[in-house]
């Protein structure tokens, strides 16, 4: 299954959740927000939100600065 993550097309197994995707990408604990097809997915739903072919994900990490 192909997914578009922050503008890059990547291939994954079928029936992958947002949480499992973050584990596969080594981003567990680093991503603060996730949007799928321009809709925010709450962190509490990452374990159950199953992604579909060609979903567009934006994974965001907040960086402080000043």
């Amino acid at each position: 299954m192909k997914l578009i993550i922050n503008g890059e097309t990547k291939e994954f197994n079928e029936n992958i959740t947002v949480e499992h995707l973050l584990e596969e990408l080594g981003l567990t604990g680093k991503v603060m927000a996730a949007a799928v097809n321009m809709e925010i997915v709450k962190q509490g739903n990452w374990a159950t939100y199953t992604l579909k072919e060609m979903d567009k994900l934006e994974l965001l990490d907040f960086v402080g600065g000043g």
Side-chain angles (χ1 to χ4, degrees):
M1 164 171 82
K2 290 182 182 178
L3 300 171
I4 301 169
I5 303 168
N6 292 351
E8 282 188 48
T9 302
K10 297 187 183 254
E11 200 144 339
F12 296 91
N13 293 328
E14 298 286 328
N15 302 320
I16 190 168
T17 63
V18 173
E19 183 175 81
H20 189 233
L21 171 82
L22 295 176
E23 289 170 4
E24 290 225 357
L25 295 174
L27 297 175
T28 303
K30 295 180 183 176
V31 171
M32 304 299 284
V36 178
N37 300 322
M38 302 299 286
E39 290 189 29
I40 296 291
V41 177
K42 292 185 180 180
Q43 203 165 11
N45 296 332
W46 289 359
T48 57
Y49 192 101
T50 303
L51 300 164
K52 298 175 203 74
E53 180 77 21
M54 295 305 290
D55 272 348
K56 293 180 181 177
L57 288 89
E58 293 295 327
L59 304 175
L60 306 171
D61 182 17
F62 298 110
V63 178

